[in-house]
Amino acid sequence: QASSLKTELTLKGHRRGVWDVAFAPLEKLLASASTDTTIKIWSLVDGTCQKTLEGHIASVLKISWLCQGLELVSTGADGLVKLWNLKKSVCINTFDKHEGKVWT
């Protein structure tokens, strides 16, 4: 029943809309991909933003966790696919041969 549902956390920090979210496979984290060109990693314990990843030059459209949550892959309206190392908070590879938006 919808009346028994309650909000546990509200995550605020993106400057524009969010295209995608993904739950981490092992830790209590959530990643969000935004029109503001950033990816944010959120704690599901207290709702704080743990990291902000920057590198896309247009909307980030899709994100997926890899390697048991140690890496993240993102795709964007800039035609880029980026591989991120979350421990170091850096992009470790960019695949840029796409001619248009990469939706998935």
Side-chain angles (χ1 to χ4, degrees), residues 9-14 18 21 30-32 42-44 46-49:
L9 287 172
T10 300
L11 307 174
K12 293 184 179 182
H14 284 294
V18 172
V21 296
L30 178 87
S32 58
W42 305 91
S43 166
L44 293 176
D46 61 9
T48 58
C49 180

Side-chain angles (χ1 to χ4, degrees), residues 43-88:
S43 166
L44 293 176
V45 174
D46 61 9
T48 58
C49 180
Q50 303 293 300
K51 300 174 188 280
T52 299
L53 305 175
E54 299 181 86
H56 283 277
I57 56 173
S59 299
V60 184
L61 303 174
K62 181 77 176 166
I63 45 176
S64 294
W65 295 90
L66 301 171
C67 299
Q68 298 183 337
L70 299 175
E71 295 178 348
L72 193 75
V73 65
S74 62
T75 66
D78 52 11
L80 301 176
V81 176
K82 291 186 166 284
L83 180 62
W84 302 89
N85 175 301
L86 294 180
K87 186 174 183 178
K88 297 179 181 178

